[in-house]
Each structure stands twice: as C-alpha cells, then as structure tokens.
Amino acid sequence: MDAHSHGAGQLVYAAAGALATTTERGTWVAPANRVTWTPPGFQHAHRFYGETDVRLVVIPVDLCGELAEQPSVFAVSPLLREVLLALTDRPETRPGAHDRLRAVAIDELVEAREQSLHLPEPGDDRLRAVTDRLHADPSHNATLVELGRAVGASERTLSRLFHTELGMSFHRWRTILRIHHGLIHLTNGRSVTETATACGWSNPTSFIEAFTEVVGQTPGRYQADLRNEIR
C-alpha cells in the first residue's frame, strides 16, 4: 500500500504473515504476534509478506490520546488478538458493541509492552550512504572502519552519528536490519539455515540467538506459529 495518511488512528494487525510499515522516521516490522499503531496524520506505507491475513481497526481521534504519539509496534496478548479479530470478523449486532471492544483494545495497548522492531533512518548524508549499502546487502560483513573509508568518514564520526541520529550502535542497527530481512525470509518459507546465511550470520546458532533476543521467540517457533495461523 503506497504512502498515505489518515485523519484517525489506525491499528494494523497481520493475523497471519508479516507486515512492514514505513514512515519518514524509519521502518517497523510486525510479525503475527505484534500489532502496528499509526497515529493520525502520519504519512505511512505498508508492505505485506507471505500468506497474509490483514486486519485494520480505526481508532477515532478522540480516543487516540491514550496511545503513543508516534508509530509503534506492540505485543499482542491473547485477549487483544481476539478483540482485533472480533472487530474485523463480524458485523455489529448490538448498538455500541464495537465501541466497547475498541475500549478493551485500547486498555490492552496501554498495558502492552512496546516491542518495536523499528529501524530508524538517518538524515546525515554520510550515515545514509552507509545504511544504503547495508540495505542493499544485509549480509555484507564490512566493519565500520571499512564502511567509513567507502563513504569518506571516520569510524569515530560514524559511531557517534549512529548513536545521536539513530539512538543505537552500528552493531545494533545492523542486527535489527538483518532481523527484518530474516522475518521476511522465514515468512516466505525459507529454512532457518538458509535465512541465517542470506542475512549475514556465520552460523544458524548465532542467528537463532539474535532472532530470539529481538523477536521474543525462536525462528522455528515463529514458523510453526505461522503455519498454525494459516490453517
């Protein structure tokens, strides 16, 4: 879905598959155990991966004040999942039923941990030259020194820019980038070993450890859940 904005807030939930939401502040990826939140007025685009079952829930402007002021990704509790499915699966048969379900969804989101697979994008030209190279080939294992030589900046300058502009280290940013690509490969049916190699890990064990730390479940568990959701 090309770049657009809404006058109201929007929850987008991939009940199966995976979803990427992109704004000027970067890209968020949400597998099926997470939901994306886009506040009113934010220009954004969506991309979907795998056999995706997408649910859209509009949050009226007067209810948005309790939720985050910036695009976010939240963990989906079993209750929140059922509420999102109910809001999008069945017509409203009793007056106010959807309003009450929306109120439950907001309560759950207020309590939910933000689990933001957010990949911020830089404004600095030197840093953007580095991140563009990594986007083009996530498996590229160049050091920050080597990347600095290629773009005409010192390692020290680039390291500082990663922290000041993106709020994380070079290593962390590249790990999140690789996890983004890993989620897409796994959603599209590639094996854990193939995905680890394609995304630049030296062995599947290192990939499994990084994926589990960031996503909250192993790659194998993620793919098993995908198969269950598609059924």
Side-chain angles (χ1 to χ4, degrees), residues 2 39 42-43 45-46 53 59 68 81 84 102 107 110-111 117-118 131 147 170 184 196 198-199 205 212 229:
D2 292 335
F42 270 87
Q43 190 86 353
H46 296 305
D53 175 8
I59 304 297
R81 174 180 168 84
L84 294 171
R102 255 192 299 265
D107 284 344
V110 169
E111 296 296 325
L117 277 166
H118 176 214
T131 59
L147 289 166
F170 162 67
I184 292 165
C199 294
T205 300
T212 303
E229 285 148 5

Side-chain angles (χ1 to χ4, degrees), residues 187-199:
T187 301
N188 287 331
R190 296 184 75 170
S191 72
V192 172
T193 300
E194 289 173 331
T195 299
T197 301
C199 294

Side-chain angles (χ1 to χ4, degrees), residues 16 18 54 62 90 93 220 222:
V54 177
D62 61 338
R90 62 185 189 224
T93 56
Y222 171 73

Side-chain angles (χ1 to χ4, degrees), residues 49-136:
Y49 300 92
E51 294 184 52
T52 311
D53 175 8
V54 177
R55 311 301 181 99
L56 306 177
V57 175
V58 173
I59 304 297
V61 173
D62 61 338
L63 300 178
C64 293
E66 296 185 67
L67 300 176
E69 295 180 353
Q70 64 283 329
S72 307
V73 174
F74 293 97
V76 176
S77 67
L79 175 57
L80 180 56
R81 174 180 168 84
E82 293 307 314
V83 168
L84 294 171
L85 295 179
L87 280 167
T88 52
D89 265 344
R90 62 185 189 224
E92 187 175 45
T93 56
R94 297 179 59 198
H98 279 188
D99 288 341
R100 291 189 289 273
L101 284 171
R102 255 192 299 265
V104 173
I106 291 170
D107 284 344
E108 285 292 289
L109 288 168
V110 169
E111 296 296 325
R113 288 185 301 122
E114 184 176 359
Q115 292 193 327
S116 193
L117 277 166
H118 176 214
L119 192 70
E121 293 298 336
D124 184 274
D125 290 341
R126 296 162 296 178
L127 193 56
R128 184 171 289 278
V130 169
T131 59
D132 283 349
R133 285 171 178 263
L134 297 174
H135 274 297

Side-chain angles (χ1 to χ4, degrees), residues 132-188:
D132 283 349
R133 285 171 178 263
L134 297 174
H135 274 297
D137 182 9
S139 66
H140 192 35
N141 281 314
T143 66
L144 197 55
V145 172
E146 292 166 336
L147 289 166
R149 289 198 198 105
V151 303
S154 70
E155 177 190 20
R156 186 173 185 177
T157 295
L158 290 175
S159 179
R160 174 178 56 79
L161 287 170
F162 267 100
H163 282 282
T164 57
E165 285 214 12
L166 306 181
M168 62 183 73
S169 68
F170 162 67
H171 174 74
R172 183 66 175 177
W173 191 94
R174 182 158 63 180
T175 296
I176 299 295
L177 172 71
R178 288 174 169 178
I179 294 297
H180 275 203
H181 284 265
L183 279 163
I184 292 165
H185 289 321
L186 293 169
T187 301
N188 287 331

